[in-house]
Amino acid sequence: MTGHEKAATTLNHGELPYPRGTLVLDSISERTGLLMGVVEERLKSNGKLVKSQAFMAPEGGGIEWDVPLDRITAVR
C-alpha cells in the first residue's frame, strides 16, 4: 500500500449510547436532535475502530445529519 491509499474498512451499525429517539445535543454546533442510529467504520484487517458517527434528526421531522459520536450528550 502506498502513502495515498486508504486502508480497507467496513461500515456497520454501532451500539447506541442512549435509546433510539433520545433528544441529544451536539456539543460543537449546539444543535439538538433525536438520536436515530450509529455507524461505525472499522479496519477490515483487525476490526479496529476508525470512527463512529451518530445520526440525528430534528424534532418534528426533517433531514438527518451526522456528527462524531463523542460530541453528543443526552438532553433529557
Side-chain angles (χ1 to χ4, degrees), residues 22-41:
T22 299
L23 184 64
V24 293
L25 171 71
D26 173 2
S27 61
I28 301 295
S29 71
E30 297 187 357
R31 288 178 71 184
T32 59
L34 302 174
L35 178 63
M36 304 308 292
V38 171
V39 172
E40 294 178 337
E41 182 178 8

Side-chain angles (χ1 to χ4, degrees), residues 6-15 38-55 66 69:
K6 182 180 173 191
T9 59
T10 61
L11 296 177
N12 298 294
H13 291 279
E15 188 173 329
V38 171
V39 172
E40 294 178 337
E41 182 178 8
R42 294 184 175 272
L43 293 176
K44 278 187 175 181
S45 61
N46 61 10
K48 181 181 176 185
L49 183 65
V50 175
K51 69 177 179 177
S52 294
Q53 292 290 112
F55 284 79
D66 65 302
L69 183 61

